[in-house]
Amino acid sequence: MSEPTAVAEGTEQLPFNDAVPGAVLGTWAEETDKAYLVAPDKLIPLLTHLRDELGYDYLSNLTCVDYLTYQGKKRKGVQERFEVVYHLYSTRKGGGHIALHVRVPENETVPSAVGVYPGANLQEREVYDLYGIRFEGHPNLRRILLWEGFHGHPMRKDWKEAYYEQDTKPFKSRHPRGGYQFHEDKLPWGKNTTYPPGWDPDTWQEPVAYVPVSMAPHPVVQDPEEEERRPHVHTESIVINLGPHHPSTHGVFRMLTRVEGETILALEPEMGYLHRNHEKIGERNTWLMNMPFTDRLDYLNSMSNNWAYALAVEKLAGIQVPERAEYIRVIMAELTRILNHMWSIGFLLNDLGALQTPALYAIEEREMILDLFEEVSGSRMMCNYFRFGGVVRDLTPGWLERARYLAQERLPRALDELDRLISENEIVKARCRGVGYLSAEDLIALSVSGPMIRAAGVAYDIRKAEPYGIYDRFEFDIPTLPNSDVYDRYYIRLLEAREAVRILQQALRDIPGGEVHGPPAYASATLEEGFGTILGGKGGYTLRPPEGEIYSRIEAPKGELGFYLVSDGKPNPYRYHVRAPSYINLNALGPMCVGYKVADAIVVLGAIDIVLGEVDR
Amino acid sequence: MATVPSDFYKLKEQQIQQYLHDSIQVPPELRQNVLVTTLDKLYNWSRRSSMWPLLFGLACCAIEMIATAASRYDMARFGMEVMRPSPRQSDLMIVSGTVTKKMIPAIVRIYNQMAEPRYVVAMGACASGGGPFKEGYNVVSGVDKYIPVDVYVPGCPPTPEALIYGMMKLHEKIERQSIATVPWYQEGFSGYVPVPRLGPDIFDPRQVELIKEHTLQATREAAQAAQAAEPTKAAGPAQLSDKARARIEEAKRRLAAKRGG
Ligand code: SF4
């Protein structure tokens, strides 16, 4: 019999064991990203200790890996099939993370972390939905991306979908004898569906999904004496459904609200209407093939998504990025940030009823920025511009001049214009001031990130707290506002866009000449060099990062965008997980809306600034 | 009238040329005031020029649809600037984005709620055929698997120019229709699409028989295998279980009844 842990060490050298004895069993993946193996029964005491004593107050990422078909050497002899992974950060101290792994055999449960970090709520539900791991003590463990009654847990390695061809791409079977047979023709009903044998559609009853909108996360405590003194009409509360087709839910998003009169008692988000299986497809793709898929996560900000993924793979594989490419990356990311913030302000105003005017102002500037993107990448929205070790091609002649014009003149003017148009508006103030309040501590406990916590006075920005790329070279501030209401969430975006313009101006001033991709041509792409090099050349196409795992994150416009990748040394990522800011920020939607009116829920949602491509992935 | 350009009337005449009746000629002295056309042409012209899309976005393509409606590309030039959030008031559904299994019941319901004549444009690779996510377990590989589509616009996402081109193609299609032959004025016509249901996987009520044959066949094969493994039972030809046979009989009867009715 082998040891239950892959790396057996004397437990006395391991950290935290003096405070929580027997919690840490060993370490995992020393080379790339250090992680501790934790005993399941000691998980909650350890998390509490880390949060209360060591200041790790922020649960950034919670996910799971199914090691059924793992081919690496590190896990030889380990019996347990699943590992639940936690990544913790400290918003007070900044710096890197602590990664914890809990090994789970099939059909066993893990204690739920919701009691320590309420932000684990949605993430644990996702793990339950996709992997079938039950979290003991979770208040509301229902499927989240798929529907109740769906057969199986699709992210498990042995679960195959209807259009399954092979485990890994590129598919060898794609064109047998020169022809391609469509999947549709292989199945009798011509659709990508499978039904378990023996299932009878005639007698099928949809399981009634119990949506606990009667449980107010923050119950309104009413003083019985106060009730007595102020007689009022007793009403019954009702459930109102918004979406999935609703003009103000920013896409196919659904909210169930329990209201009394017009006041919200509880709100439950329902999602999955745009669940496009990024992760399942991503684990079949090669490392590079995932780059265009990241474009489609947060489809307003394809450049930042590219960067987050490229950064993670570069850290995993140890790839260097040349100077000029670093500058180009910063320029693209900051342009994206301005674009996103203007767009979100415009559409927040749309939700408030200022139909179209502010949105049209935002779209006008967006078109200018999109022209720049299209010029370098060939596409307006889905740029697919970054490569491991650089960017796909150099800037076109004259691009910098046009970008400088935007950064020096046009964008500052446009931001001032938006400011003048909106900030002092009476109606905006009346609708936004004091709406959707949640304290900074609550927001952090709910794993909220990005402009939302900065509007609550927490100066936490990954560009400063854990700098990546070359952000340490630029001079910029982290604006914060104290009130944590919708108005501040609007205004913080304006301030951040101004800071982004500042960074942009510096980057455009300092950008050096030189190469845009590093020596191993993972990234080169001119037509003269042949199409092979567009895919990264032979070497790039078969990029095989060393065995290990990585969690790396950037400050995307919507918050903390992280990628958790596991490599077993093969040309395909073994695990590809996206920590999407929009998704996790939705943890706070329910608590933020309680006590306000239904019309305010729309605005509160607008101020979180979600994109459904990223929420549902 | 000094502000009217000199060739204004000529231009106007050119523009109305295509709407005039093919054979009935108006005497030249009346041409400024009288115009003869067919009901089809007038009807199609008015429908075509005031097409109201449903305010309905699914995914990334919706962003480009918004950009098309915004000032730079300006869909208002085609009489399409009024996006209606209610399906009852809209003529055109632009399916802009990835259609997922969880969403398709809602889409079909919205389609059913739209009043005829109604048109569907599949915008982007996803809506047309699944696009980059075709292999996904929660992705419907093309909205035309469930509802009829009039125009497909390729691209990921299609540029606003491509979408506008798709709209122009739709206009051409409308101009070719005739009140006499369009299906929605025929007697007994119903464009109702049965709403797909969420089972262990999404299923189309129109395909229940097919699915049942398949899933129950698997049961039958399992029963066969069990029989083969158990030599004590009488070996014989492949037998359906009584329950399964009753179900198939029932299904056949229902199908026959439906066909007959
Ligand atoms: S076609 Fe492309 S842009 Fe459109 S919804 Fe699909 S992935 Fe997004």
Side-chain angles (χ1 to χ4, degrees):
Chain A
M1 271 304 288
S2 52
E3 290 283 329
T5 56
V7 192
E9 277 182 47
T11 46
E12 58 281 354
Q13 286 109 5
L14 293 164
F16 319 130
N17 275 354
D18 38 352
V20 189
V24 177
L25 304 172
T27 57
W28 150 254
E30 207 61 64
E31 294 84 354
T32 43
D33 206 5
K34 194 166 180 162
Y36 300 112
L37 292 169
V38 178
D41 51 336
K42 293 287 181 353
L43 175 70
I44 299 304
L46 179 62
L47 288 178
T48 317
H49 169 70
L50 286 172
R51 183 192 65 178
D52 295 342
E53 310 297 329
L54 301 177
Y56 284 91
D57 52 355
Y58 187 75
L59 174 74
S60 167
N61 182 44
L62 190 164
T63 187
C64 176
V65 191
D66 175 7
Y67 280 105
L68 185 70
T69 58
Y70 192 71
Q71 293 175 42
K73 295 182 201 74
K74 291 264 167 59
R75 246 181 144 265
K76 279 256 163 59
V78 180
Q79 309 291 320
E80 294 92 339
R81 176 170 170 186
F82 299 102
E83 276 183 28
V84 181
V85 186
Y86 303 78
H87 290 98
L88 309 174
Y89 285 89
S90 167
T91 57
R92 273 171 254 153
K93 296 186 297 187
H97 61 251
I98 289 188
L100 306 175
H101 284 214
V102 176
R103 290 194 164 151
V104 204
E106 218 171 328
N107 302 327
E108 297 243 336
T109 60
V110 187
S112 164
V114 172
V116 189
Y117 297 104
N121 180 358
L122 292 184
Q123 308 198 60
E124 284 185 353
R125 277 179 70 189
E126 182 191 329
V127 170
Y128 164 67
D129 189 358
L130 302 182
Y131 284 97
I133 291 184
R134 304 195 71 89
F135 290 90
E136 218 163 315
H138 190 287
N140 180 18
L141 200 63
R142 291 180 297 125
R143 284 194 183 258
I144 184 163
L145 297 176
L146 295 160
W147 59 90
E148 273 329 306
F150 187 83
H151 63 119
H153 299 284
M155 280 301 289
R156 291 189 171 194
K157 288 282 178 182
D158 52 0
W159 195 93
K160 308 255 191 296
E161 55 268 70
Y163 282 181
Y164 171 81
E165 273 188 67
Q166 269 174 332
D167 271 340
T168 53
K169 283 180 189 167
F171 294 139
K172 295 182 184 67
S173 60
R174 259 298 157 95
H175 299 280
R177 297 177 304 281
Y180 175 64
Q181 198 196 356
F182 284 98
H183 290 294
E184 284 91 331
D185 306 335
K186 294 178 196 160
L187 291 160
W189 36 78
K191 298 189 172 87
N192 60 342
T193 49
T194 46
Y195 308 98
W199 175 68
D200 191 347
D202 275 340
T203 54
W204 169 254
Q205 291 278 314
E206 274 103 341
V208 179
Y210 165 66
V211 181
V213 276
S214 52
M215 300 191 318
H218 287 213
V220 191
V221 187
Q222 274 171 353
D223 184 6
E225 287 183 13
E226 176 78 18
E227 285 257 347
E228 288 292 303
R229 261 184 279 121
R230 277 201 289 152
H232 59 271
V233 184
H234 280 277
T235 50
E236 253 178 45
S237 64
I238 51 164
V239 174
I240 288 189
N241 174 54
L242 287 158
H245 165 61
H246 191 277
S248 55
T249 50
H250 294 244
V252 282
F253 179 69
R254 184 170 165 215
M255 299 190 272
L256 290 143
T257 52
R258 178 167 286 279
V259 292
E260 176 149 346
E262 262 199 87
T263 310
I264 297 177
L265 299 181
L267 185 146
E268 183 72 25
E270 277 285 301
M271 45 200 113
Y273 295 96
L274 193 57
H275 179 44
R276 300 191 280 193
N277 330 122
H278 273 273
E279 295 185 2
K280 187 88 180 173
I281 297 174
E283 285 169 20
R284 198 172 291 147
N285 286 344
T286 63
W287 291 89
L288 190 61
M289 274 182 191
N290 276 333
M291 191 62 84
F293 281 88
T294 62
D295 288 337
R296 286 152 182 85
L297 285 167
D298 173 357
Y299 33 73
L300 283 169
N301 307 318
S302 59
M303 290 281 195
S304 352
N305 303 342
N306 281 183
W307 196 0
Y309 180 58
L311 198 70
V313 176
E314 280 156 11
K315 277 190 193 163
L316 191 62
I319 301 171
Q320 294 299 316
V321 183
E323 270 300 89
R324 185 174 170 84
E326 289 278 25
Y327 274 91
I328 294 178
R329 286 176 170 199
V330 170
I331 293 169
M332 295 303 172
E334 295 308 315
L335 278 174
T336 304
R337 195 180 311 276
I338 299 166
L339 180 160
N340 177 73
H341 285 351
M342 291 190 81
W343 180 278
S344 73
I345 291 171
F347 280 81
L348 175 66
L349 268 284
N350 229 3
D351 293 345
L352 279 171
L355 215 55
Q356 308 232 322
T357 311
L360 286 177
Y361 275 64
I363 291 173
E364 196 184 337
E365 301 312 312
R366 176 176 179 263
E367 290 289 341
M368 296 289 123
I369 296 173
L370 288 195
D371 279 352
L372 289 180
F373 286 174
E374 190 174 12
E375 196 172 323
V376 292
S377 73
S379 175
R380 282 159 53 87
M381 270 173 77
M382 305 303 174
C383 299
N384 186 17
Y385 182 58
F386 287 40
R387 288 294 179 276
F388 313 134
V391 293
V392 72
R393 61 179 81 78
D394 203 353
L395 303 173
T396 47
W399 193 94
L400 281 174
E401 280 69 62
R402 282 189 284 282
R404 280 187 193 121
Y405 162 71
L406 269 192
Q408 304 285 1
E409 308 202 3
R410 183 151 183 143
L411 290 177
R413 237 183 12 232
L415 289 170
D416 290 346
E417 196 178 16
L418 264 189
D419 196 356
R420 274 203 310 279
L421 181 69
I422 301 167
S423 300
E424 290 301 314
N425 186 304
E426 273 307 309
I427 304 172
V428 172
K429 281 186 165 174
R431 286 291 310 276
C432 297
R433 273 272 175 237
V435 170
Y437 173 79
L438 210 59
S439 71
E441 293 73 40
D442 283 348
L443 286 173
I444 287 172
L446 287 165
S447 298
V448 176
S449 58
M452 297 263 294
I453 54 169
R454 292 193 284 275
V458 183
Y460 187 70
D461 186 314
I462 301 167
R463 291 174 295 172
K464 289 263 194 214
E466 196 193 359
Y468 55 93
I470 50 165
Y471 273 115
D472 42 3
R473 297 188 200 169
F474 300 111
E475 205 179 292
F476 65 100
D477 300 322
I478 314 252
T480 55
L481 291 171
N483 294 325
S484 188
D485 56 6
V486 170
Y487 187 85
D488 276 7
R489 283 170 207 147
Y490 142 70
Y491 201 62
I492 197 84
R493 295 205 160 86
L494 204 65
L495 297 179
E496 276 184 23
R498 289 216 171 107
E499 290 302 317
V501 170
R502 252 176 91 190
I503 300 175
L504 205 55
Q505 287 169 349
Q506 296 170 46
L508 286 166
R509 185 191 63 206
D510 299 340
I511 182 168
E515 285 288 297
V516 293
H517 50 75
Y522 297 121
S524 64
T526 54
L527 279 183
E528 298 86 68
E529 288 168 52
F531 282 103
T533 55
I534 290 184
L535 289 170
K538 194 152 173 45
Y541 194 60
T542 51
L543 171 70
R544 286 186 174 85
E547 188 183 352
E549 60 161 31
I550 193 91
Y551 177 67
S552 132
R553 53 186 198 148
I554 68 160
E555 185 69 39
K558 295 192 161 56
E560 177 180 327
L561 173 65
F563 277 85
Y564 172 67
L565 305 169
V566 178
S567 166
D568 59 350
K570 295 281 170 296
N572 311 80
Y574 188 78
R575 176 80 175 103
Y576 167 82
H577 174 69
V578 188
R579 187 261 186 226
S582 303
Y583 177 67
I584 293 164
N585 287 356
L586 280 176
N587 270 321
L589 179 65
M592 276 194 311
C593 290
V594 171
Y596 298 97
K597 303 269 189 281
V598 182
D600 294 333
I602 304 287
V603 192
V604 171
L605 178 71
I608 300 181
D609 185 17
I610 57 165
V611 148
L612 263 294
E614 196 179 56
V615 171
D616 296 338
R617 284 154 291 144
Chain B
M1 296 298 268
T3 50
V4 178
S6 56
D7 54 354
F8 176 76
Y9 290 107
K10 221 162 76 202
L11 200 68
K12 194 175 153 201
E13 215 158 272
Q14 265 174 24
Q15 281 187 349
I16 61 169
Q17 201 61 44
Q18 52 177 319
Y19 301 110
L20 295 184
H21 197 279
D22 301 332
S23 48
I24 303 173
Q25 295 289 325
V26 179
E29 62 273 23
L30 282 180
R31 282 213 184 129
Q32 293 296 332
N33 304 315
V34 178
L35 181 149
V36 180
T37 181
T38 62
L39 187 55
D40 267 346
K41 281 182 175 166
L42 188 68
Y43 176 72
N44 287 341
W45 166 77
S46 73
R47 276 194 313 138
R48 190 207 69 178
S49 315
S50 62
M51 188 125 257
W52 288 2
L54 182 65
L55 181 58
F56 173 63
L58 287 175
C60 352
C61 280
I63 306 292
E64 282 299 65
M65 184 176 75
I66 295 169
T68 315
S71 42
R72 190 186 205 178
Y73 295 97
D74 196 9
M75 245 176 7
R77 294 176 292 156
F78 300 86
M80 305 179 107
E81 76 277 22
V82 195
M83 290 232 181
R84 308 276 37 181
S86 161
R88 303 282 187 209
Q89 300 167 344
S90 41
D91 314 302
L92 168 67
M93 181 177 190
I94 304 178
V95 184
S96 53
T98 316
V99 181
T100 61
K101 290 179 183 173
K102 200 168 173 181
M103 190 62 196
I104 187 75
I107 295 177
V108 172
R109 251 183 227 125
I110 293 168
Y111 176 79
N112 284 335
Q113 285 170 9
M114 282 167 65
E116 271 157 338
R118 61 190 164 194
Y119 298 91
V120 178
V121 169
M123 177 184 183
C126 285
S128 306
F133 302 99
K134 179 171 178 178
E135 63 199 279
Y137 50 83
N138 190 30
V139 175
V140 171
S141 46
V143 73
D144 58 357
K145 295 257 187 299
Y146 292 92
I147 57 176
V149 172
D150 295 279
V151 176
Y152 298 85
V153 183
C156 182
T159 57
E161 293 93 333
L163 182 60
I164 288 176
Y165 183 72
M167 297 300 140
M168 287 158 68
K169 283 282 155 202
L170 182 67
H171 288 173
E172 279 175 28
K173 176 168 182 166
I174 294 171
E175 297 217 317
R176 286 198 303 271
Q177 290 181 322
S178 159
I179 299 180
T181 56
V182 287
W184 54 86
Y185 291 134
Q186 308 300 318
E187 207 177 320
F189 171 79
S190 163
Y192 176 80
V193 178
V195 179
R197 290 176 61 201
L198 294 168
D201 210 330
I202 189 95
F203 68 99
D204 194 334
R206 293 173 292 193
Q207 291 180 325
V208 161
E209 299 305 321
L210 194 65
I211 293 166
K212 216 157 58 168
E213 230 168 71
H214 196 81
T215 51
L216 293 185
Q217 188 191 344
T219 328
R220 183 179 60 196
E221 270 160 19
Q224 255 177 43
Q227 243 175 23
E230 262 179 56
T232 47
K233 278 201 179 150
Q239 290 278 316
L240 278 175
S241 75
D242 285 348
K243 215 169 133 200
R245 202 185 306 130
R247 253 191 234 134
I248 288 178
E249 283 304 316
E250 167 78 356
K252 273 188 190 151
R253 195 184 50 70
R254 216 175 310 130
L255 188 66
K258 210 190 279 170
R259 291 240 173 85

